Amino acid sequence: MVASVRVEDIAEAAGVSPRTYNNYFASREQAIVSAVTADREARIAAAVTARPAGARLADAVTEAVVEQYANTGEREQQALLLITTRTALRDAFLDTTTGIEPPLTAAIAERLGDAGAHTARVLAASVAAAVRIALEGWLQPAGNAGAAEGLAAGGLVVPSGSLPDQLRAALAPLAPAFDAAERRTQP
């Protein structure tokens, strides 16, 4: 299905020229995945920034990530269903987690102050890795012995468990690092 979709068709549906499409997307898979991930990274950073200054940074980041990954609309749900059917789409979806790092670095650095710039980047990169691990677990059910083979073969993968729970579990080990960073920047 994805292979039969022409660039011209995608560009027309998006209301852009094929050249513009090619400037923004390296593949059809990236274009399809963007239906789910558009502006998510900026929304995560904005949600962290919007949390009260006194709120624990680890909690602010965790809740922002969970909100933006778990609260999807009808269009995003349909795109996620398509993503689970193709290995290339799943890979493109997982690759989007790296986009969290730059805007989240800025949001964390704002909370930590100038002294926390390097720490903010390390924490944001760690969050991106944790999100990817949670998504991999969600897209590769652990209880299904053939899940890894099905994922590699391009078969349908039915997401398992609660994505919010998977995200919270993956982010939980980062809480002590966030707490330590906050303590170091307090007067």
Side-chain angles (χ1 to χ4, degrees), residues 35-50:
V36 174
T37 61
D39 301 322
R40 178 184 290 155
E41 299 86 3
R43 290 190 318 262
I44 289 170
V48 170
T49 302

Side-chain angles (χ1 to χ4, degrees), residues 78-147:
Q78 290 174 351
L80 274 172
L81 286 173
L82 179 60
I83 287 167
T84 63
T85 66
R86 300 276 188 258
T87 301
L89 287 173
R90 287 188 299 265
D91 291 345
F93 181 66
L94 292 172
D95 288 344
T96 64
T97 60
T98 60
I100 295 171
E101 189 177 337
L104 187 57
T105 296
I108 293 170
E110 184 178 322
R111 288 280 299 262
L112 296 179
D114 290 337
H118 180 72
T119 299
R121 187 166 178 217
V122 170
L123 290 170
S126 299
V127 168
V131 168
R132 182 180 178 96
I133 289 166
L135 291 173
E136 286 172 348
W138 186 61
L139 291 171
Q140 276 188 17
N144 184 350

Side-chain angles (χ1 to χ4, degrees), residues 17-94:
S17 71
R19 183 176 179 176
T20 300
Y21 165 89
N22 287 323
N23 287 338
Y24 285 98
F25 303 109
S27 67
R28 288 179 192 95
E29 291 78 15
Q30 280 186 353
I32 292 167
V33 166
S34 74
V36 174
T37 61
D39 301 322
R40 178 184 290 155
E41 299 86 3
R43 290 190 318 262
I44 289 170
V48 170
T49 302
R51 297 292 196 269
R56 185 173 169 234
L57 184 56
D59 294 339
V61 169
T62 298
E63 291 313 308
V65 167
V66 169
E67 282 174 10
Q68 295 305 317
Y69 273 90
N71 297 335
T72 57
E74 177 73 25
R75 180 174 164 225
E76 292 86 0
Q77 286 294 331
Q78 290 174 351
L80 274 172
L81 286 173
L82 179 60
I83 287 167
T84 63
T85 66
R86 300 276 188 258
T87 301
L89 287 173
R90 287 188 299 265
D91 291 345
F93 181 66
L94 292 172

